[in-house]
Amino acid sequence: MANNYKITLEYDGSNYSGWQKQKNTKATIQEKLENALSKVNKSKVAVIGSGRTDAGVHAAGQTANFFLDIEIPTYKIPIAINTHLPDDIICYKAEKVAIDFHARYDARGKKYRYRILNSNFNSVFVRNFVYKVHQRLDVDLMRKGAEVFLGTHDFAAFCSAGSSVDSTIREIYSLAINVKPNGEIQIDISGNGFLYNMVRILVGTLIELAKGKRNPADLKEILAGCQRSKAGFTAPAKGLTLLEVFYD
């Protein structure tokens, strides 16, 4: 019987069309992983991700599971996979899990980080992982606005068209905004699940608030109205990183 394995990986999403493999597009993370694992397994392997990251989005703690026919010590799996992966995708942890474990359906929540470089100048070292905003942002206003999103709400206004979900109600566990000495603003958000582009729209709305284009009271109205057109812009994918996926 095949064994079920869960892996944790990180990747720079700059050169990929997101997680999910697609036809007639440039490479995806899932495609690269399945190709690597198929070489290890000597036969085709299907990889199930915890969710789909969009084109250009990064991950520091993406999870996935798959079945292998061969017997291989768990500690050797990352080494075997990485041998066949490009340098911008790294598997750093593997564990054997129950045969019915599912990386997506068993996930209980996720944590993301959005990075904004609030500076007149970009940085060659982080330019692929931050959204640069030269206009000074009012971080205190951002923090005040962020409080509106905590808890359970209908986030329909913060979901891009094209999503096919049964419910747009989600719970945000925490939303912390920290400023680094170099002017980088890090927005860490965790919740039980996120809609299509939800984090990036939340961030775009907070940026508009921090620029004085909105006030905190607007955010409550946006949530209550459930209209995408009322919320802010979708912040660029390059600033977003999936940090962690939570399981029981």
Side-chain angles (χ1 to χ4, degrees):
M1 176 182 283
N3 293 309
N4 192 9
Y5 294 95
K6 170 191 167 191
I7 58 170
T8 309
L9 58 147
E10 60 183 28
Y11 49 82
D12 175 350
S14 302
N15 296 318
Y16 297 95
S17 294
W19 168 270
Q20 188 178 23
K21 62 182 179 182
Q22 306 167 39
K23 294 181 179 179
N24 304 320
T25 187
K26 66 179 182 180
T28 66
I29 306 297
Q30 184 183 35
E31 175 192 344
K32 292 293 185 181
L33 272 175
E34 289 187 347
N35 289 343
L37 281 162
S38 296
K39 292 176 181 176
V40 173
N41 196 52
K42 301 294 193 286
S43 62
K44 286 188 176 182
V45 175
V47 175
I48 302 166
S50 70
R52 305 170 186 173
T53 50
D54 294 332
V57 173
H58 317 290
Q62 173 69 288
T63 56
N65 77 287
F66 52 84
F67 294 88
L68 291 183
D69 299 321
I70 62 170
E71 287 290 336
I72 179 172
T74 305
Y75 76 92
K76 287 188 176 181
I77 291 177
I79 300 170
I81 297 174
N82 290 335
T83 299
H84 303 289
L85 286 175
D87 292 341
D88 50 8
I89 307 174
I90 298 289
C91 172
Y92 61 85
K93 183 180 179 182
E95 54 191 303
K96 188 179 289 187
V97 289
I99 202 70
D100 60 349
F101 173 83
H102 193 286
R104 179 182 176 189
Y105 297 143
D106 288 344
R108 294 294 175 259
K110 294 179 180 178
K111 181 177 182 179
Y112 285 92
R113 172 172 292 165
Y114 197 92
R115 300 169 64 185
I116 302 165
L117 185 60
N118 196 195
S119 170
N120 288 327
F121 304 100
N122 212 332
S123 165
V124 296
F125 299 108
V126 300
R127 69 188 187 281
N128 292 330
F129 304 95
V130 299
Y131 171 43
K132 190 187 81 65
V133 178
H134 71 271
Q135 181 178 337
R136 186 56 50 197
L137 300 179
D138 188 330
V139 177
D140 289 334
L141 260 184
M142 294 178 82
R143 288 175 176 144
K144 186 174 182 180
E147 294 176 1
V148 174
F149 300 130
L150 294 174
T152 302
H153 305 281
D154 187 337
F155 285 95
F158 298 89
C159 178
S160 289
S163 176
S164 56
V165 293
D166 295 329
S167 172
T168 50
I169 295 175
R170 297 291 186 273
E171 180 180 2
I172 300 299
Y173 304 144
S174 64
L175 205 168
I177 302 175
N178 300 297
V179 183
K180 301 301 179 181
N182 68 341
E184 181 178 317
I185 301 170
Q186 294 184 352
I187 302 175
D188 289 356
I189 179 170
S190 63
N192 64 352
F194 295 91
L195 302 168
Y196 181 42
N197 285 341
M198 178 173 159
V199 176
R200 292 165 58 192
I201 299 170
L202 286 172
V203 169
T205 305
L206 289 174
I207 289 174
E208 291 180 359
L209 174 67
K211 287 182 174 182
K213 296 181 178 180
R214 298 178 182 272
N215 62 66
D218 292 340
L219 305 192
K220 292 183 179 180
E221 294 179 6
I222 294 169
L223 266 177
C226 295
Q227 296 182 50
R228 171 66 188 97
S229 60
K230 301 296 184 182
F233 74 102
T234 305
K238 64 189 295 186
L240 186 62
T241 299
L242 172 60
L243 292 183
E244 186 178 358
V245 182
F246 306 124
Y247 295 93
D248 289 336

